[in-house]
Amino acid sequence: MRATVDFAPLFRSSVGFDRMLNALDLASRIPAVDNWPPYDIVKTGEDDYRIDMAVAGLAEADLTITQERNTLVVTGRKAPEPQSAAEYLHRGIAGREFERRFDLAEHMKVTDAHFENGLLSITLKREIPEAMKPRRIAITSST
């Protein structure tokens, strides 16, 4: 059983964090999901990240990556194999269908996706618009 967290005190004393607090509240209510395929999330720089997913048994053509607003969706659907005379005695390489969703912070963009040796690497970068970066405000006197 999960303990619930009351975010009401944070709502009373913060301004503009409602989206983040709602996301935390929602995340605490989501049931545990299948953990396949395994993945790592790596911070490679100040505003740079990488998601590495082990997708053994799938080919590059079986994978789809889409970003819509603040959600990154990675989908894997293996193309049906033609009938062959081979009979599997044991099939341990999964190659099963999956859909993995990642919630992204504001201004995160996928800059690259690379597939090699069963490892899918997705590179992300936070690109804050110039208008949203901190700026110095000049102080003027009334005289």
Side-chain angles (χ1 to χ4, degrees), residues 17-32:
F17 292 96
D18 51 326
R19 185 175 184 276
M20 180 182 62
L21 295 174
N22 287 336
L24 287 171
D25 187 39
L26 179 64
S28 68
R29 296 178 194 203
I30 294 175

Side-chain angles (χ1 to χ4, degrees), residues 10-142:
L10 294 173
F11 280 114
R12 287 192 302 260
S13 62
S14 62
V15 177
F17 292 96
D18 51 326
R19 185 175 184 276
M20 180 182 62
L21 295 174
N22 287 336
L24 287 171
D25 187 39
L26 179 64
S28 68
R29 296 178 194 203
I30 294 175
V33 294
D34 184 20
N35 60 355
W36 197 87
Y39 64 92
D40 293 335
I41 300 175
V42 183
K43 185 172 184 173
T44 58
E46 181 77 24
D47 292 320
D48 302 311
Y49 300 85
R50 188 181 71 240
I51 299 172
D52 294 328
M53 298 181 77
V55 289
L58 296 174
E60 185 175 345
D62 300 331
L63 301 169
T64 305
I65 303 168
T66 56
Q67 180 181 1
E68 184 176 332
R69 295 189 181 236
N70 295 336
T71 303
L72 175 67
V73 181
V74 181
T75 307
R77 286 190 173 65
K78 190 167 181 85
E81 293 181 10
Q83 293 289 347
S84 69
E87 177 184 348
Y88 284 92
L89 300 178
H90 172 72
R91 193 158 198 165
I93 299 174
R96 63 184 183 216
E97 292 185 3
F98 70 90
E99 180 178 279
R100 174 71 65 189
R101 294 180 171 271
F102 297 93
D103 290 324
L104 303 177
E106 294 288 324
H107 313 295
M108 293 293 292
K109 292 187 179 182
V110 175
T111 59
D112 185 40
H114 184 73
F115 181 77
E116 186 176 352
N117 297 329
L119 189 66
L120 174 65
S121 294
I122 304 168
T123 307
L124 301 112
K125 183 169 186 65
R126 180 182 294 124
E127 294 179 349
I128 300 173
E130 197 63 39
M132 298 190 74
K133 290 183 180 177
R135 61 186 173 98
R136 186 175 180 120
I137 307 298
I139 302 172
T140 59
S141 63
S142 58

